[in-house]
Amino acid sequence: MAWYWGTLILFGLGVGLMMVGVPVAIAFFATNIVAAVLFMGGANGIVQVINNGFGAMTNFALVPIPMFLLMGELYYHTGLASRMFNAIDKLMGNVPGRLAYVTVAGGTGFAALSGSSMGSTALLGSLMVPEMMRRGYSKYLSLGPIMGTGGLAVIIPPSALAVLLATLGRIDVGDLLVAGVIPGLVLSSMYVALIFVWTLVAPDSAPGYAVASVSLREKLWLIAVDVVPMFLVIVLCIGAMVAGWATPTEAAAIGCVGVIALAACFRCLGWRAFKKSLDGALRVTVMAFLIIFGSATFSQILAFTGASSGLIRWATGFELAPLAMLLVMLGVILFLGCFMDQLSMMLLTAPIFFPLAQTLHFDLIWFGLIMLLGLEIGYTTPPFGLLLFVLKGVAPRGTTMRDIYLAGMPFIACVLLLITLIIAFPPIATWLPRISH
Amino acid sequence: MKALRYAAKGYDAVLYGMAYVAGFLMAAMMTVIFIDVVLRNLGYQSSAHFFTFTEYGLLVIPCLGAPWLVREKGHIYVEILLMYLKPRWRRLVTQAIGALCVAVCAILAWYASGVTLNDLLQNEKDVRSLDMPRWMVSGFIPLSFAMMALEFLRFLVRGENFLAPIAEEL
């Protein structure tokens, strides 16, 4: 069978089943079963699916996924996140659009500590949107920064998605995590600049209001007690990796213990919070791992049928410039991002895109980061970006999906601008991993 | 009838018990890795079994938690088609999807049982820091898929939707 038939059957069936509404993990398994019967010798092929899953799951490189998820859930359920938000809120002072800045600053911190875009958006949405609406902020300025900063969790380490992408692309997990630091900070600075221009051009979108003044001493106290310790956990996490005390996979568990120790110091670590955190982390872990179970065979069948090499030969046969190829790949991710969740997109595209990027002699860390940014945009693109629905769930009544779609647009533009910058100046992504070696 | 009710209660206890064990294993994994790193950096020889325990945990945790996730309607799915269907058609398509889920899980449970049985009869070992009888780990796979199939079937028989509610409006 020609490679394109294999490709058509694999992708057609997988994407078709997902679009119909079959749970993503089951869609992968169903595709694997059909492909195993067609291409891998029937029953033996299905046995191979099981054995591949066994091998793929018992892999130490996957440890950061449950650990980072647990870390974020602990940070949220113990109330440490709210504590940091309140501190930043008081520290911000009386600037136009202060609540939008609080969202970006607090959201960046939460993204760094949680590694979960959906958790970040849910927290920011329920905390900040009602307050901003009450203060007369325009609905677009109330909703937009939340989706923007929610997506930051994809690139700012620790990020569970980055670990998974690095595993799929067979690149260094630590390098990809560290590569996200500078672009993440650049992106949150862009958001700050956007809000500044926004409030300058349309001052009515963020009416000023009197804020209780906070003395310098109080401010210093807030920084020392409620902000610095939270960031120490990130420093501990990244520092342990860079100093060589722990591997990137182990650093995730250290971050978890760090958050637990912090919560214990603040006397907010209860059994209830711990149980809720385990519950939340377990849900996403099980979901992600079931998809990984299926994906091991999916990429093997892609290779076995010649679909991977055929697609790469076909794509490179056009002799497009590497930049044009990169844009095509990014376009595919952005298109899929309108309909699919990040995990499924990654598992469908990584087995093809990474070998293709290697053929084109791209720096794979640089490429991985661009892919992550593409995935981040997919969180907020209509009609089915996951964050749109998370925000809809926590936004006040009367907020329509159209409001949410429009509010996210300027922030999507910022991510696209960042991607352009990274393409033009690769050291934005590659400098930090290089010096950390 | 009474026996059936007890059986159902027992089954629920097993399902939620498995999820509790999965949560416990996740916390244990964190503790074990932390201890391993601390011991290593203090210059002590830590156990290689820590590593093996963690790797097996990565397979066992999702296997134990998967049936519970079906019960909790925690599976992600794409709403694009279902959202636009009329209620009657939506119900029909959802039932068809449910039947597919049962079939897929049952097929995988069947073949995974074969793999586990073969591992047991052939005395297969998974060689890591210790020679682990492979069936002791691979056995979680058929258990998980069989219970997932049962859970999907349970929703189908009761006429309930096994997918999380669709967002209200576009």
Side-chain angles (χ1 to χ4, degrees), chain A residues 273-298:
Chain A
F274 189 67
K275 211 176 130 194
K276 271 189 168 179
S277 307
L278 276 177
D279 180 291
L282 187 63
R283 278 167 200 270
V284 189
T285 301
V286 171
M287 188 70 251
F289 278 37
L290 278 180
I291 296 175
I292 294 168
F293 193 110
S295 78
T297 307
F298 187 78

Side-chain angles (χ1 to χ4, degrees), chain A residues 71 113 228-238 255 258-259 262:
Chain A
M71 184 172 156
L113 276 156
V228 171
M230 313 296 176
F231 284 96
L232 278 182
V233 177
I234 308 169
V235 173
L236 178 76
C237 220
I238 298 176
V259 175
L262 206 59

